[in-house]
Amino acid sequence: MSPKRPTVPPPPDRPPAAPVSPFDPALAQAGRVPTLVVLMGLLMTSSLPFVASLVQGRAQNVAQGVLSMCLTVFLLGMVWRGSVLAWRLTIGLAMLAGLLVFVVGMLTGTTAWQGWVVSGAGLVYLALGTALVGTPSIRAFLDSRWAARRAARQAGGRA
């Protein structure tokens, strides 16, 4: 058996490591605008094909497009309000849509330049979904929303 080593405190010229807490109020406040930008980016990327078809004068499936936009707004609004389930569903749908749209664009891109645009939209979905997970300020903001919602539920209120 080896003897226990004594723990050595960090040298005085080196500051102690900052806690990696997602509830840092400064980081959470800084994440408000990026979170809104990512959610609006997801909404615009999702509704762009429908709006483009309306602008071009194709009015088929208007009810389906409007329903899809309304459901997207509802889901992203629930993420903004602090629903963990909506956040997980948004991440999953963004990744799935990103992969599918990217692959379809690559298959179409071999014969038409529009396929490259579609592949770009797939990459946008993937980037925005990854930003919801991997950006520290966005996560801190959403974590603070989740904590507030959980506290309101425990207090008997409705968030």
Side-chain angles (χ1 to χ4, degrees), residues 27-43:
L27 192 58
Q29 271 304 65
R32 184 179 196 86
V33 172
T35 303
L36 189 58
V37 167
V38 168
L39 293 176
M40 291 303 293
L42 282 169
L43 176 63

Side-chain angles (χ1 to χ4, degrees), residues 41-42 45-46 89-107 115-130:
L42 282 169
T45 305
S46 297
L89 187 60
T90 301
I91 298 296
L93 289 174
M95 294 298 162
L96 179 66
L99 287 173
L100 290 176
V101 169
F102 180 76
V103 169
V104 166
M106 291 305 289
L107 293 174
W116 292 101
V117 174
V118 173
S119 290
L123 292 176
V124 168
Y125 271 121
L126 291 170
L128 292 172
T130 303

